């Protein structure tokens, strides 16, 4: 299915709503029936037939179909946040006594899911350096059920060789779950590489406008059905019809946003990499990135999130640089229209985050949709003031 069809037409049955081009926001908690037979019929398949909005809603269903198609998955579920999607995926595959082998340094709240939450329910985990897939195999125990991947991660961008980890999982009868937020389905489709469950923070590139928090989960029909009937309906971490509509709107421009962000990021990276006040840039498509070959092999393109180390004399210099930027906003998250920085020095005093161990002079940067010339000029003046 070509992406233009997915983004512009798939799932949109316009004859059902006055032939409106843009789908309606069905802002209704429940749905009514002509008679008992119709009600009974709908209750048989709450996921696909409107009954109660925690289970299914027509606006959300359009989004589900598009997300599944984008990830080349049989089906998808939409959640109220990326973290809800990660948690549902993990909980669905684990029970007390099980063990997870996870790539080290996953997204902060995925980390807390394993260290604080799953531990309480008797699920243990081992963090491994995923740059060598053999580490997954070495950490597997008789009770290992899930291999968790995040390739690349969203701070230092280490990759895992996805097909190699899938092969290990299959040999040991384990399920693979990957957080694919960084690359987005536009640049990487792990299901095609054999991964069982793909999750995203759709808050990032999929929505792309910094105005909604959303998560998605993509998998086979059978796994989606199982998660729907358990974690999805029980924990109830759903998206509102209004936010689903925002996602549908954001998705229309996914390809042009991804292309533009990638192109601009490559230019900004090139500028920073050759600047004397920058020690080093971490960006998977930089030829000096340790896993450059794998990145090229596994991803059709590179997203626009990367990190760099400032050649700064002290913390005050880092702060001067960050405070001097005008176009790069100081904020968490990424994937929207606006360029952002998240300097790791802010983590050092926050009780919400563990120290990253990445050094006070590291800055994570997200390049959005502004003109790259404007962004580079902004960086030039801020580096000057550092
Ligand atoms: C933001 C993010 C999440 C969490 O998603 P939310 O939508 O914020 O709940 C998970 N994984 C990665 C890689 C992220 O960047």
């Amino acid at each position: 299915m070509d992406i233009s069809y997915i983004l512009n037409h798939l799932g949109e049955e316009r004859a059902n709503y006055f032939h409106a081009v843009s789908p309606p926001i069905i802002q209704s908690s429940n749905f009514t029936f002509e008679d008992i037979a119709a009600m009974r019929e709908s209750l048989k398949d709450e996921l696909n037939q409107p009954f109660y909005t925690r289970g299914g809603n027509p606006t959300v269903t359009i989004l589900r179909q598009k997300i599944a198609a984008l990830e080349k998955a049989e089906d998808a579920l939409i959640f109220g946040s990326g973290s809800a999607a990660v948690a549902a995926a993990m909980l669905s595959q684990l029970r007390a006594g099980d063990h997870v082998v996870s790539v080290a340094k996953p997204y902060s709240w995925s980390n807390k899911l394993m260290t604080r939450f799953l531990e309480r329910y008797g699920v243990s985990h081992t963090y491994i350096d995923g740059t060598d897939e053999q580490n997954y195999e070495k950490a597997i125990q008789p009770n290992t059920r899930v291999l968790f991947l995040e390739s690349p991660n969203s701070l230092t961008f280490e990759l895992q060789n996805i097909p190699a980890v899938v092969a290990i999982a299959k040999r040991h009868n384990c399920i693979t779950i990957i957080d694919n937020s960084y690359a987005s389905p536009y640049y990487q489709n792990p299901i095609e590489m054999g991964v069982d469950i793909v999750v995203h923070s759709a808050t990032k590139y999929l929505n792309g406008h910094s105005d909604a928090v959303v998560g998605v989960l993509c998998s086979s029909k059978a796994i989606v059905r199982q998660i729907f009937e358990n974690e999805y309906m029980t924990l109830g971490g759903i998206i509102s019809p209004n936010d689903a509509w925002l996602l549908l709107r954001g998705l229309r421009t996914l390809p042009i946003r991804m292309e533009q962000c990638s192109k601009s990021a490559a230019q900004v990276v090139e500028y920073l990499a050759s600047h004397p006040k920058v020690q080093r840039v971490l960006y998977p498509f930089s030829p000096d990135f340790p896993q450059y070959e794998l990145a090229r092999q596994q991803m059709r393109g590179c997203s626009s999130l990367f990190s760099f180390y400032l050649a700064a004399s002290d913390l005050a210099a880092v702060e001067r640089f960050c405070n001097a930027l005008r176009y790069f906003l100081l904020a968490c998250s990424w994937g929207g229209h606006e360029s952002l920085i998240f300097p790791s020095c802010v983590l050092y005093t926050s009780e919400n985050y563990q120290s990253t161990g990445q050094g006070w002079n590291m800055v994570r940067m997200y390049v959005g949709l502004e003109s790259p010339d404007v962004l580079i000029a902004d960086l030039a003046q801020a580096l000057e003031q550092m």
Side-chain angles (χ1 to χ4, degrees):
M1 211 181 303
D2 80 90
I3 191 164
S4 298
Y5 177 77
I6 296 170
L7 297 180
N8 293 291
H9 303 299
L10 179 67
E12 303 190 56
E13 294 171 29
R14 296 187 168 109
N16 292 345
Y17 39 84
F18 309 104
H19 299 278
V21 168
S22 171
I25 303 169
I26 308 289
Q27 193 71 37
S28 184
S29 57
N30 46 356
F31 298 86
T32 177
F33 301 91
E34 296 284 343
D35 53 30
I36 291 287
M39 191 172 185
R40 191 178 280 139
E41 197 48 39
S42 182
L43 191 51
K44 275 190 203 155
D45 188 7
E46 259 198 276
L47 172 60
N48 294 306
Q49 300 184 45
F51 189 83
Y52 183 56
T53 283
R54 175 154 40 78
N57 174 283
T59 311
V60 179
T61 299
I62 299 172
L63 179 59
R64 248 180 75 212
Q65 292 175 63
K66 288 186 195 290
I67 293 291
L70 282 173
E71 267 301 7
K72 303 178 196 303
E74 285 175 10
D75 208 345
L77 289 170
I78 315 294
F79 291 84
S81 72
S83 289
V86 174
M90 294 286 260
L91 289 169
S92 73
Q93 303 303 319
L94 294 162
R95 57 180 66 204
D98 286 348
H99 175 250
V100 180
V101 180
S102 169
V103 64
K105 297 188 286 173
Y107 175 70
S108 50
W109 296 99
S110 302
N111 173 32
K112 278 161 203 167
L113 173 72
M114 287 182 260
T115 54
R116 288 195 193 159
F117 196 92
L118 292 176
E119 286 283 342
R120 268 168 49 205
Y121 294 89
V123 175
S124 57
H125 64 277
T126 305
Y127 284 137
I128 52 108
D129 171 2
T131 58
D132 178 356
E133 65 270 11
Q134 294 312 317
N135 291 334
Y136 274 97
E137 186 135 41
K138 284 182 203 150
I140 287 175
Q141 306 172 3
N143 58 340
T144 303
R145 287 295 303 139
V146 168
L147 305 189
F148 187 80
L149 302 87
E150 190 179 308
S151 180
N153 74 35
S154 59
L155 189 64
T156 44
F157 315 103
E158 288 92 349
L159 283 77
Q160 298 98 64
N161 184 326
I162 299 171
V165 178
V166 165
I168 292 166
K170 289 204 189 320
R171 272 206 303 284
H172 294 270
N173 220 0
C174 295
I175 291 275
T176 42
I177 301 174
I178 189 168
D179 183 331
N180 195 32
S181 304
Y182 178 85
S184 93
Y186 190 68
Y187 285 142
Q188 178 167 276
N189 298 117
I191 295 219
E192 284 192 324
M193 300 182 227
V195 169
D196 296 300
I197 305 176
V198 177
V199 287
H200 285 270
S201 170
T203 312
K204 315 292 164 54
Y205 283 120
L206 288 169
N207 184 48
H209 290 71
S210 306
D211 51 13
V213 175
V214 185
V216 304
L217 179 158
C218 304
S219 190
S220 66
K221 275 203 181 303
I223 289 178
V224 164
R225 169 68 58 184
Q226 180 216 335
I227 296 175
F228 172 75
E229 284 169 4
N230 293 285
E231 291 73 23
Y232 187 85
M233 285 303 274
T234 324
L235 301 177
I238 64 162
I239 185 181
S240 72
N242 193 71
D243 281 354
W245 187 90
L246 286 172
L247 244 290
L248 286 168
R249 183 189 171 119
L251 277 181
R252 307 279 190 207
T253 53
L254 179 71
I256 55 171
R257 286 189 286 105
M258 294 307 296
E259 298 282 351
Q260 184 59 51
C261 286
S262 300
K263 224 167 79 188
S264 300
Q267 285 181 46
V268 173
V269 164
E270 198 183 316
Y271 172 78
L272 287 173
S274 63
H275 198 288
K277 291 187 178 171
V278 174
Q279 279 175 354
R280 185 173 169 219
V281 183
L282 294 176
Y283 174 68
F285 271 26
S286 286
D288 66 350
F289 186 75
Q291 295 175 290
Y292 172 75
E293 298 296 330
L294 180 61
R296 284 277 177 188
Q297 196 179 307
Q298 225 163 245
M299 299 194 288
R300 291 186 290 276
C302 197
S303 87
S304 61
L305 188 71
F306 57 90
S307 294
F308 57 95
Y309 294 89
L310 286 164
S313 48
D314 53 19
L315 194 63
V318 176
E319 291 188 19
R320 273 198 301 280
F321 165 79
C322 295
N323 292 334
L325 288 165
R326 295 187 196 114
Y327 279 87
F328 291 90
L329 306 178
L330 257 176
C332 68
S333 196
W334 45 277
H337 55 90
E338 78 293 4
S339 292
L340 302 169
I341 52 162
F342 193 115
S344 57
C345 63
V346 301
L347 300 174
Y348 282 27
T349 50
S350 165
E351 288 179 9
N352 269 338
Y353 290 86
Q354 300 147 269
S355 159
T356 62
Q358 296 305 324
W360 49 270
N361 61 338
M362 193 179 98
V363 177
R364 186 183 77 175
M365 175 163 278
Y366 167 70
V367 170
L369 295 171
E370 302 90 340
S371 147
D373 296 340
V374 167
L375 296 178
I376 288 169
D378 194 23
L379 284 167
Q381 64 83 21
L383 286 164
E384 194 59 41
Q385 292 188 52
M386 185 172 100

